[in-house]
Amino acid sequence: MKYLITGANGQLAKEFANYLEKNGQEFLALTREQLDVCNLNNVLEVIESYKPSVILNCAAYNYVDLAETDYVNAFKINGLALHNLSFACKKHNIFLVHYSTDYVFDGEKNDYYIEEDTTNPLNTYGKTKLIGEKLINSGLKDYLIFRVSWLYGRGKNNFLSKILEWSKEMNTLRIAYDEFSIPTSTKFVVENTLKAINCGIKGTYHLTPRGYASRCEIAKTFLNLVGINKFVLPVSSKVFNTPAVRPKFSAMSSKKISQLLNVDFSAWDKELKQTYQEYFK
Ligand SMILES: NC(=O)c1ccc[n+]([C@@H]2O[C@H](COP(=O)([O-])OP(=O)(O)OC[C@H]3O[C@@H](n4cnc5c(N)ncnc54)[C@H](OP(=O)(O)O)[C@@H]3O)[C@@H](O)[C@H]2O)c1
């Protein structure tokens, strides 16, 4: 297998590069400057020169609030780029792996979302990610889309890194008690993605550890693990008045992929306990 990783400066891409390197696998990881997924000529040039068998698309526009006003860029990167990658993958017989989000759901189900549930994104970020999914599954057969949630790994653009930053500046952290999903480590995503590729699995799946938690519960668990003693005040998400509306309960069930892989996924807090030192110490 020969892997091409896009968006190499991102947290998931870094985890893939780290894992593939450690395991002596052949890969090329390119940053936005080296490969712009929004530019079809650039995509075709790179593919025709490197000839990967799998593309791990880790490029994304992940600024959920900014996307409300920066729609064009969010749409190009999360949507249109998937037309480019699907087109190039079909032309050159390459397997495409892509990541979507729990924010394709509206949070009104009040239960775990399964793959067959109706999507109804509440914000622009979720809408552009859903367009990306549709551009892949309307043009390709050989693909994997994994919907993941509240990803954390190496890098600053995740909820846990933000908690660490805030805890340096404040004694009381005001965290929402009314938004629920599942924190997911990049290590968990990488290991299970590579297993799925090796098993020849195709299609769209949810990929998260078990359980669910509110942001407030996650903050308390995390601060406890890293040994920082700060007061976490549970507040309504309304007080933050963010530009993007977020679903209240978007936890997804990963039963389907765990059965196909024949693996019992751990609960999110056990997973966090096992991985946090790699990223935050
Ligand atoms: N983070 C989460 O909580 C979360 C939740 C659900 C789903 N996901 C999905 O999981 C996947 C991985 O997310 P992540 O957290 O690893 O993302 P990330 O850390 O934000 O990394 C995304 C990378 O994509 C790069 N990029 C942006 N535009 C590009 C372009 N036109 N061409 C090539 N690269 C480009 C960015 O480059 P720059 O560094 O130059 O900006 C950045 O390095 C994404 O599909 C994301 O939507 C993430």
Side-chain angles (χ1 to χ4, degrees), residues 219-239:
K220 284 201 264 182
T221 307
F222 179 58
L223 287 173
N224 200 19
L225 276 174
V226 293
I228 296 177
N229 186 16
K230 291 285 159 120
F231 184 66
V232 176
L233 180 70
V235 295
S236 161
S237 54
K238 281 192 193 134
V239 304

Side-chain angles (χ1 to χ4, degrees), residues 107-254:
E108 295 296 326
K109 185 179 178 188
N110 296 325
D111 197 347
Y112 288 104
Y113 281 98
I114 59 168
E115 286 80 353
E116 292 74 21
D117 280 326
T118 307
T119 51
N120 182 30
L122 299 178
N123 55 45
T124 301
Y125 166 76
K127 284 177 190 160
T128 61
K129 292 296 286 184
L130 187 59
I131 292 169
E133 285 190 16
K134 290 187 174 163
L135 285 169
I136 295 173
N137 59 39
S138 62
L140 263 188
K141 286 198 175 70
D142 291 336
Y143 70 86
L144 259 174
I145 298 173
F146 283 122
R147 292 183 182 141
V148 301
S149 61
W150 295 3
L151 205 60
Y152 63 90
R154 290 169 182 83
K156 298 265 176 244
N157 190 24
N158 65 64
F159 180 55
L160 300 181
S161 289
K162 283 178 190 152
I163 290 173
L164 273 189
E165 262 172 50
W166 297 330
S167 71
K168 283 176 196 148
E169 296 158 8
M170 308 170 216
N171 282 325
T172 299
L173 275 63
R174 297 183 317 145
I175 311 284
Y177 61 73
D178 54 356
E179 272 178 33
F180 294 83
S181 193
I182 311 173
T184 305
S185 77
T186 50
K187 190 174 181 194
F188 173 90
V189 175
V190 164
E191 288 177 357
N192 288 299
T193 297
L194 295 173
K195 271 184 208 151
I197 296 170
N198 289 330
C199 291
I201 297 169
K202 295 175 188 177
T204 300
Y205 300 93
H206 296 169
L207 183 62
T208 59
R210 285 191 294 107
Y212 63 85
S214 67
R215 287 198 185 268
C216 192
E217 199 179 339
I218 295 163
K220 284 201 264 182
T221 307
F222 179 58
L223 287 173
N224 200 19
L225 276 174
V226 293
I228 296 177
N229 186 16
K230 291 285 159 120
F231 184 66
V232 176
L233 180 70
V235 295
S236 161
S237 54
K238 281 192 193 134
V239 304
F240 300 112
N241 200 19
T242 54
V245 179
R246 287 161 172 80
K248 290 280 181 265
F249 188 97
S250 53
M252 301 178 293
S253 163
S254 299

Side-chain angles (χ1 to χ4, degrees), residues 20-21 25 70 75 80 83 89 165 182 216 237 241 272 277:
L20 293 172
E21 184 152 21
Q25 304 247 25
D70 193 17
F75 171 67
L80 221 53
H83 167 75
C89 284
E165 262 172 50
I182 311 173
C216 192
S237 54
N241 200 19
L272 178 60
Q277 285 191 331

Side-chain angles (χ1 to χ4, degrees), residues 188 191-192 195-196 199 210 254-266:
F188 173 90
E191 288 177 357
N192 288 299
K195 271 184 208 151
C199 291
R210 285 191 294 107
S254 299
K255 201 169 166 190
K256 209 171 181 178
I257 191 69
S258 84
Q259 283 176 345
L260 285 172
L261 294 174
N262 199 18
V263 189
D264 260 339
F265 293 159
S266 303

